[in-house]
Amino acid sequence: MAQKTTLLPEVKKHYGDLKNFIGGAWVESSASEWLDDTNPATGEVIARVPLSPRADVDAAVRAGLDAWEEWRETPPLSRARYFFTLRDLMEQHFEELARIVSQDHGKIIDEARGEVRRAIENVEVAAGIPSLMMGYNLEDGAAAGIDEEVLYQPLGVFAGISPFNFPAMVQSWFWPYAVATGNCWVAKPSEQDPLVQVRLFELIEMAGFPPGVVSMVHGAKEAVEAVCDHPDIRGVSFVGSTQIAKLVYARAASHGKRVQCGGGAKNLLVVLPDAKLDTIVPNMISSVYGTAGERCLAGSVIVGIGEAQGPLKAKFTAHASKLKLGYGLDESTQMGPVISRKHQERVLGYIDKGEDEGAKPLLDGRGVKVPGYEHGYFVGPTVLDGVTPDMTVAKEEIFGPVASVFEMDDLDEAIAWINRSPYGNAASIYTSSGKAARDFRYRARAGSIGINLGIAAAMAYFPFGGMKNSFFGDLHPQGRDAIRFFTESKVVITRWV
Ligand code: NAD
């Protein structure tokens, strides 16, 4: 069957060489290297992404510095109004944004809608900045007649670097809070699927943010290193793989910046014998195979405890085998492709390795063909049985639609595995026992705990992120943590005589 051409007009119009957005204008990058951005379901090139050099990052930072004084003196209520306008624009363009995400990333349209909704929610929460940014005070706090107060103040220019898997959402974990608190912002989206950020920046432009307050520079390694090293960037927010998170954390911190870096994950879903399998298996399927497993909160290790093992394996595999692969914009598709040919090969390589090391594929996603999309980067849902802790598939993040099935005797063993893992992004328990759930919540060392749900994704007003090698830093993105990350506290002690 012939390869389908499927790009919708909103994506076609961006086809070509992407521009940076600096100082309120769309400007050519001075890049000498460019990357192809493809639709992962078809392999079609939909844009060329400049790998911007240091000079482009510097131009964005200088635009931010020029804008900063006036922006920080803009009252919080007035700053909030830009976010109300942006929020309305995002609602008006909701379906268009979701379709861009689906075509550029490959995820199914419903998941794309979910991530755009999350992005809007972060804008909504940041619009509450007059309340969120308040300090506190104490009359006679220092001594009789001497009052003491704390003010939260912005620092200057911040930058944010995001991964491919949530191209609309992850930048929104940072920048609305950075900018609402009175800082300026330089975004560096993923070079693999930056189109939705291009469209969001068009909406940011329409919302009327003053030039230089919010800029975007496309690129990869060189742009990220320029961000880490730039003397006038006060802090860096990063989300991506653990390997790069560690590098960015160390490099940016060595230049005296405040840094928050989210890293990779290996999340365990543990099922106790008292769990209601018919209810929980669909939820586990969505955790493992949603966004083709390319979620930092995705379940990737499935553990049945004791007599839950056999029935869990059978029901989970039966459900997984029914998932319909296809094009993300087709509403009946349940799983799209992975992001790139290279990533497809990496995921398939992990399945090969799992088998070589002794795991048994109960469901094998290698070699799947999706009619009409033969050039797409598809991997079918895969279930590897008999995985043991020493196997590569048990230890490393696969970031694809692959479940590794472990067998364990009790909950203590599962918690010990979680706490030994170098990662600590998320962990979930399925049970009818409040006592077991409480025990799990208390002891498991992971930043997001799910009780009878497999994706415990913090809402915008709560902090998002993990522990151990899944997060470097102290203050997380979103919520109150974000307000603290993007401000510094100043104590004022006053005596009038
Ligand atoms: P990645 O680490 O390859 O890329 C992330 C960012 O780093 C991109 O903007 C990229 O341009 C930049 N980058 C890549 N190589 C670099 C280098 N050598 N030097 C400097 N910068 C570099 O990650 P990815 O593949 O885009 O995203 C997937 C990863 O993100 C997974 O590991 C996933 O678990 C993780 N993730 C974590 C969270 C979280 O909250 N902890 C959320 C989403 C994704």
Side-chain angles (χ1 to χ4, degrees), residues 161-165 170 173 188-192 219-221 224-225 238-242 244 247-248 262-265 296 397 399 425 464-465 470:
I161 298 149
S162 46
F164 77 81
N165 64 329
V170 174
W173 289 351
K188 205 299 286 171
S190 170
E191 67 280 21
Q192 299 196 73
K221 184 170 187 278
V224 172
E225 289 177 353
F238 172 95
V239 170
S241 59
T242 290
I244 309 300
L247 288 175
V248 168
C296 69
E397 180 180 43
F399 220 53
N425 216 36
F464 189 106
S470 298

Side-chain angles (χ1 to χ4, degrees), residues 265-266 300 346 350 391-399 423:
K266 192 81 191 168
S300 64
R346 185 167 177 270
Y350 272 116
M391 290 182 190
T392 309
V393 289
K395 291 190 284 202
E396 296 183 11
E397 180 180 43
I398 299 173
F399 220 53
Y423 295 107

Side-chain angles (χ1 to χ4, degrees), residues 17-307:
D17 294 351
L18 299 186
K19 291 190 168 134
N20 291 332
F21 185 76
I22 296 177
W26 292 95
V27 295
E28 302 273 352
S29 168
S30 51
S32 53
E33 273 185 86
W34 296 71
L35 279 186
D36 286 342
D37 173 15
T38 60
N39 176 333
T42 60
E44 277 174 280
V45 176
I46 50 181
R48 284 204 328 143
V49 187
L51 298 186
S52 299
R54 280 176 185 265
D56 291 358
V57 171
D58 185 54
V61 176
R62 278 188 283 110
L65 286 175
D66 288 348
W68 185 53
E69 288 280 309
E70 209 174 316
W71 183 243
R72 80 154 283 199
E73 288 167 12
T74 304
L77 184 61
S78 305
R79 294 201 297 259
R81 290 194 179 114
Y82 291 95
F83 288 93
F84 285 116
T85 307
L86 177 62
R87 183 242 176 231
D88 288 349
L89 287 165
M90 290 172 79
E91 286 291 357
Q92 284 160 26
H93 294 270
F94 182 83
E95 276 297 316
E96 177 195 344
L97 291 166
R99 286 197 303 264
I100 295 173
V101 169
S102 178
Q103 289 166 91
D104 202 11
H105 173 279
K107 67 180 69 178
I108 63 172
I109 185 68
D110 231 25
E111 286 165 356
R113 289 182 186 121
E115 96 154 272
V116 173
R117 178 58 54 207
R118 289 279 173 147
I120 292 175
E121 286 163 3
N122 275 285
V123 169
E124 289 171 333
V125 172
I129 202 63
S131 311
L132 292 172
M133 207 180 158
M134 281 179 188
Y136 51 94
N137 58 32
L138 186 63
E139 272 186 332
D140 303 316
I146 304 181
D147 303 329
E148 189 159 347
E149 65 190 310
V150 166
L151 307 173
Y152 291 119
Q153 298 190 329
L155 287 88
V157 179
F158 278 79
I161 298 149
S162 46
F164 77 81
N165 64 329
F166 283 93
M169 180 184 74
V170 174
Q171 282 285 335
S172 81
W173 289 351
F174 322 128
W175 85 263
Y177 305 98
V179 170
T181 48
N183 301 286
C184 294
W185 184 255
V186 179
K188 205 299 286 171
S190 170
E191 67 280 21
Q192 299 196 73
D193 51 7
L195 284 187
V196 72
Q197 285 299 325
V198 173
R199 189 64 185 128
L200 282 167
F201 267 78
E202 288 173 351
L203 301 185
I204 287 169
E205 190 182 8
M206 283 159 74
F209 283 86
V213 169
V214 202
S215 291
M216 172 173 61
V217 176
H218 294 287
K221 184 170 187 278
E222 185 175 347
V224 172
E225 289 177 353
V227 160
C228 294
D229 299 345
H230 202 291
D232 292 318
I233 292 181
R234 302 297 308 277
V236 178
S237 302
F238 172 95
V239 170
S241 59
T242 290
Q243 187 199 357
I244 309 300
K246 258 187 190 165
L247 288 175
V248 168
Y249 187 68
R251 189 159 178 156
S254 77
H255 291 281
K257 301 185 199 316
R258 40 179 74 188
V259 199
Q260 49 176 197
C261 290
K266 192 81 191 168
N267 306 318
L268 184 137
L269 307 180
V270 54
V271 179
L272 297 199
D274 60 9
K276 309 263 180 299
L277 284 190
D278 287 337
T279 321
I280 67 158
V281 165
N283 184 268
M284 295 175 75
I285 292 285
S286 141
S287 169
V288 174
Y289 301 113
T291 314
E294 294 170 325
R295 287 198 289 217
C296 69
L297 296 180
S300 64
V301 176
I302 306 285
V303 176
I305 300 293
E307 63 207 35

